[in-house]
Amino acid sequence: MTEGDLSIRLVKCRQRVIQDLLHERCQEGYWEGHLSSSALSTATAITALATMDRVGHETHSGHLQQAGLRWLASHVNDDGGWGDTTCSLSNISTTTLVWSAFAACDGLGVYPEVMAAAEQWLRRRAGGLGSKHLSQAITQRYGKDKTFSVPILTMCAIAGRFGEGRKAWESITDLPFELAALPPQWFAALRLPVVSYALPALIAIGQVKHHHAPSKNPLTRGLRKACRSITLRRLSSIQPSSGGFLEATPLTSFVVMSLAASGEAANTVAQKGMQFLKESFREDGSWPIDTHLATWVTSLAVHGLGRKGCQQLEAQGRRAIHRWLLDQQYLQKHPYTQAPPGGWAWTPLPGGVPDADDTPGALIALHQLSENPASEIDRAMLGIRWLLGLQNRDGGMPTFCRGWGHLPFDRSSADITAHAIRAWHLWKPYVTPPLQRSIQVATRRALDYLKRMQKEDGSWDPLWFGNQHLEGENNPLYGTAKVVEGWLCLASEPAEESGLSHAIHWLIDQQSDNGGWGATKGLPNTIEETALAVSALALAASRWPGEDHPQGLRLHQSLRKGAGWLCQRVEDQSYRNHAPIGFYFAKLWYFERLYPMVYTAAAFKALEDGCHEEPTQAKLPNP
């Protein structure tokens, strides 16, 4: 195939993707997307409802529980276990939760063969079904982070899988829920064993353990007894009006079942949480991992469309998206994380929390949508200051809260740091000189952090996306692509021996012979990962030697193969096939229907434009 033939295919394929993406808008004009159904969410939801029933609080949810059991039984993997999504590999966490859910919902006698296969899987993986074996296996998966391991084991105890009485709770770590009675501004210094977003779980799960197996230390026992009412009021104060903490089914389910099992089924938090779970139920019998990621996928869609794609929007539609994104910015202190005004969450729903990935995403999209970015400067500066205030001492960006510790989401991460750099760079020419200087300092600190975090092979690991086929379940392809994009928007020409050059060579080295990419070479290729690699390399090509240079020739050959691979998938419509590349909530997996489309759109945009962001005079010297 000649280069001219490929160029013609690229134009046609990009136009098709743009049209498909525009067609995916909801009635209000933005993108809502669709999250995968989740075995993990379904298991926790039906267990929460069953626990409310068991303690005498009639939920009228028996039909939901039975529908959930049927869905779980029909979506078991061939090996007898469950993964988080319908195309996920079996894992110890989800299989244990489903195994417990069948006990909680009286499904053991109804699905004996399913349970027998599940127990065989658990024995092979954990060595046994007792609390000791499962506790060791699950704790090993999550390490020091108790955010998810303790809730999983707590659900086992609530469902009766660990026996009766105090013995059932012996393997479950005490969570110091009494600390939630202290002022929120103290939390960063307290080194809590859970991440910042998990305060509801800390309170509710800590209380159910205290209820069934209180500390043998009389001082600790007395303190926790005295703090029960105070921390329950704190829990109520941070519950969103929807009832769903973070709009997430698992977190809300853990809170509801823990309150019900500790004698608090009538508490308004449990009642509102139960209602959220009922409303989140899907007709097929499942629950999603979260309600939706509308703000996030809208930002990604706008970026993927680029100015050319956005111009195909009618003026009214473009203004509607623009206004909708502006409306999602938090203009008051957030009651949950105490975050100051200025950030964006992943969703417009009340359970959303501003974070350092969605905020730069929204800022980049607003710049893309604005005919005159200077007209948005007040709101943009508010968002930029919010990001600057979140930067950790090490120069990197956490997800939710600055300085909480070294657990996931609170520690700095390469992918989010690179995303912040891109947003700062785009808006820097329009802000005041003092803020420009702050951006300059923050960017240099962020680049220093990225250089320190680069692995010897040239790659970076991200926080927010993983690959189930790679040992450790991380995704260096995603992390490296995002850092290359962030770094290249600042560099005029990557130095021959720089860390950036090393990263670009790493990306090229991971390409499969057929032109696609997985998380590393040799793993299954996905639409999302191939599109991410093509986007980063297309940006690199605009700052790299031409094809008359050996390195330039290698890069352009890689790009042509990757572009051809994507074109083939668009032409046969398989580019919509999604992969479970996402994880958050301590290795909680999901996929989003729009991810393949938005990333493919962004790849074609990068190939056509040669650069993701408009060039400005505000460039840093070559790192």
Side-chain angles (χ1 to χ4, degrees):
M1 183 193 307
T2 67
E3 189 169 341
D5 291 336
L6 180 58
S7 297
I8 294 172
R9 291 177 71 196
L10 284 171
V11 171
K12 291 181 178 178
C13 288
R14 185 182 181 193
Q15 187 60 36
R16 179 180 295 182
V17 174
I18 287 175
Q19 291 302 317
D20 288 347
L21 195 51
L22 292 177
H23 183 71
E24 287 287 336
R25 288 177 295 164
C26 63
Q27 188 174 359
E28 292 78 8
Y30 58 90
W31 287 265
E32 186 173 285
H34 184 81
L35 282 167
S36 55
S37 291
S38 165
L40 187 149
S41 292
T42 302
T44 57
I46 62 176
T47 300
L49 295 173
T51 307
M52 292 286 280
D53 279 349
R54 191 170 67 243
V55 299
H57 186 87
E58 180 57 47
T59 66
H60 303 290
S61 66
H63 65 294
L64 303 184
Q65 297 171 42
Q66 295 308 308
L69 289 177
R70 286 194 297 272
W71 188 89
L72 289 169
S74 64
H75 288 85
V76 61
N77 288 337
D78 292 341
D79 61 7
W82 285 266
D84 295 1
T85 77
T86 54
C87 54
S88 295
L89 303 176
S90 300
N91 65 66
I92 185 69
S93 306
T94 304
T95 303
T96 300
L97 288 170
V98 174
W99 175 69
S100 296
F102 273 83
C105 300
D106 300 323
L108 301 181
V110 183
Y111 301 96
E113 294 181 358
V114 173
M115 282 296 92
E119 291 182 353
Q120 289 181 3
W121 191 96
L122 288 171
R123 288 190 180 97
R124 289 194 302 269
R125 181 65 182 271
L129 302 177
S131 59
K132 181 179 179 181
H133 290 98
L134 290 175
S135 177
Q136 288 177 345
I138 291 169
T139 301
Q140 182 179 11
R141 177 171 171 81
Y142 297 106
K144 295 180 180 180
D145 186 2
K146 307 299 182 184
T147 303
F148 214 55
S149 60
V150 173
I152 292 169
L153 297 173
T154 296
M155 182 167 143
C156 290
I158 290 173
R161 285 300 197 181
F162 288 170
E164 302 293 333
R166 187 183 182 99
K167 184 178 180 180
W169 298 85
E170 289 179 350
S171 63
I172 300 172
T173 302
D174 284 356
L175 293 183
F177 69 89
E178 65 275 12
L179 297 180
L182 297 173
Q185 55 267 33
W186 292 18
F187 291 165
L190 293 174
R191 296 287 181 172
L192 299 181
V194 298
V195 296
S196 54
Y197 74 79
L199 190 61
L202 175 78
I203 296 172
I205 293 175
Q207 289 212 13
V208 72
K209 172 65 185 293
H210 171 74
H211 178 81
H212 289 278
S215 172
K216 295 180 180 179
N217 184 313
L219 293 177
T220 302
R221 188 168 64 247
L223 176 62
R224 289 177 176 168
K225 182 178 180 181
C227 289
R228 281 200 68 197
S229 296
I230 299 172
T231 54
L232 284 174
R233 288 196 295 272
R234 172 62 57 79
L235 184 62
S236 179
S237 71
I238 62 177
Q239 187 176 32
S241 58
S242 66
F245 292 99
L246 301 186
E247 298 295 323
T249 295
L251 179 58
T252 305
S253 298
F254 287 134
V255 171
V256 170
M257 71 177 74
S258 296
L259 291 177
S262 57
E264 294 289 345
N267 188 286
T268 56
V269 174
Q271 294 292 305
K272 290 172 63 177
M274 179 184 66
Q275 190 60 37
F276 169 82
L277 295 177
K278 288 183 175 182
E279 293 173 356
S280 302
F281 173 78
R282 288 178 169 172
E283 290 185 2
D284 65 356
S286 69
W287 274 261
I289 208 70
D290 213 288
T291 307
H292 59 64
L293 313 178
T295 306
W296 173 244
V297 295
T298 296
S299 297
L300 291 178
V302 170
H303 176 63
L305 289 174
R307 292 198 178 276
K308 180 178 179 180
C310 287
Q311 287 171 359
Q312 297 187 31
L313 284 164
E314 65 282 8
Q316 183 178 358
R318 182 170 177 164
R319 286 195 297 268
I321 298 172
H322 191 188
R323 173 50 53 189
W324 186 85
L325 272 176
L326 280 175
D327 288 345
Q328 306 321 312
Q329 187 177 27
Y330 285 85
L331 301 179
Q332 296 178 340
K333 179 185 289 188
H334 197 277
Y336 187 165
T337 58
Q338 303 297 304
W344 276 265
W346 60 93
T347 177
L349 298 173
V353 173
D355 66 81
D357 214 11
D358 290 284
T359 297
L363 286 169
I364 292 169
L366 287 173
H367 187 278
Q368 191 82 66
L369 287 165
S370 300
E371 294 182 5
N372 177 20
S375 65
E376 311 290 349
I377 196 59
D378 290 341
R379 299 291 286 274
M381 286 174 63
L382 188 62
I384 289 167
R385 289 194 179 99
W386 190 87
L387 283 173
L388 291 171
L390 206 65
Q391 189 172 30
N392 276 332
R393 291 190 187 121
D394 62 7
M397 299 295 295
T399 304
F400 295 123
C401 297
R402 180 179 186 272
W404 267 58
H406 298 285
L407 298 179
F409 313 148
D410 297 328
R411 67 176 177 229
S412 300
S413 62
D415 49 325
I416 297 178
T417 302
H419 207 182
I421 287 174
R422 289 173 59 202
W424 289 335
H425 170 72
L426 268 183
W427 286 97
K428 184 180 176 183
Y430 305 96
V431 303
T432 61
L435 192 53
Q436 285 185 347
R437 290 192 289 272
S438 296
I439 290 173
Q440 186 83 2
V441 171
T443 299
R444 289 198 177 280
R445 292 181 60 219
L447 281 174
D448 287 342
Y449 165 80
L450 293 175
K451 292 174 185 178
R452 293 195 305 272
M453 296 304 295
Q454 188 174 22
K455 296 190 293 185
E456 289 186 7
D457 64 3
S459 67
W460 286 268
D461 285 332
L463 170 64
W464 279 83
F465 287 84
N467 185 295
Q468 64 180 346
H469 299 288
L470 189 63
E471 185 178 357
E473 298 179 332
N474 56 359
N475 194 324
L477 186 285
Y478 181 90
T480 307
K482 288 302 176 184
V483 173
V484 166
E485 287 183 337
W487 197 334
L488 275 173
C489 76
L490 304 173
S492 56
E493 291 289 341
E496 184 70 20
E497 301 299 329
S498 70
L500 183 54
S501 175
H502 194 22
I504 292 168
H505 282 296
W506 184 90
L507 284 173
I508 297 171
D509 289 342
Q510 307 316 307
Q511 188 173 28
S512 299
D513 293 340
N514 66 4
W517 274 269
T520 59
K521 190 175 180 64
L523 294 184
N525 301 154
T526 70
I527 304 297
E528 295 94 332
E529 288 157 333
T530 301
L532 287 162
V534 168
S535 293
L537 292 178
L539 178 56
S542 66
R543 319 287 176 85
W544 200 257
E547 294 193 57
D548 55 345
H549 188 284
Q551 290 192 14
L553 177 62
R554 185 166 182 255
L555 173 56
H556 284 275
Q557 287 175 336
S558 175
L559 267 178
R560 279 196 289 271
K561 287 175 61 179
W565 191 96
L566 282 176
C567 283
Q568 179 62 47
R569 272 68 192 172
V570 173
E571 289 161 351
D572 65 19
Q573 286 294 295
S574 64
Y575 90 103
R576 294 170 178 264
N577 296 342
H578 40 62
I581 67 166
F583 81 95
Y584 67 122
F585 278 45
K587 298 189 177 181
L588 191 73
W589 295 75
Y590 71 98
F591 59 78
E592 161 57 55
R593 186 179 66 194
L594 289 183
Y595 278 175
M597 299 179 68
V598 296
Y599 289 135
T600 299
F604 287 146
K605 168 184 175 290
L607 286 164
E608 183 172 310
D609 297 349
C611 183
H612 285 280
E613 283 83 29
E614 295 179 350
T616 71
Q617 295 180 352
K619 287 185 177 178
L620 293 176
N622 182 37

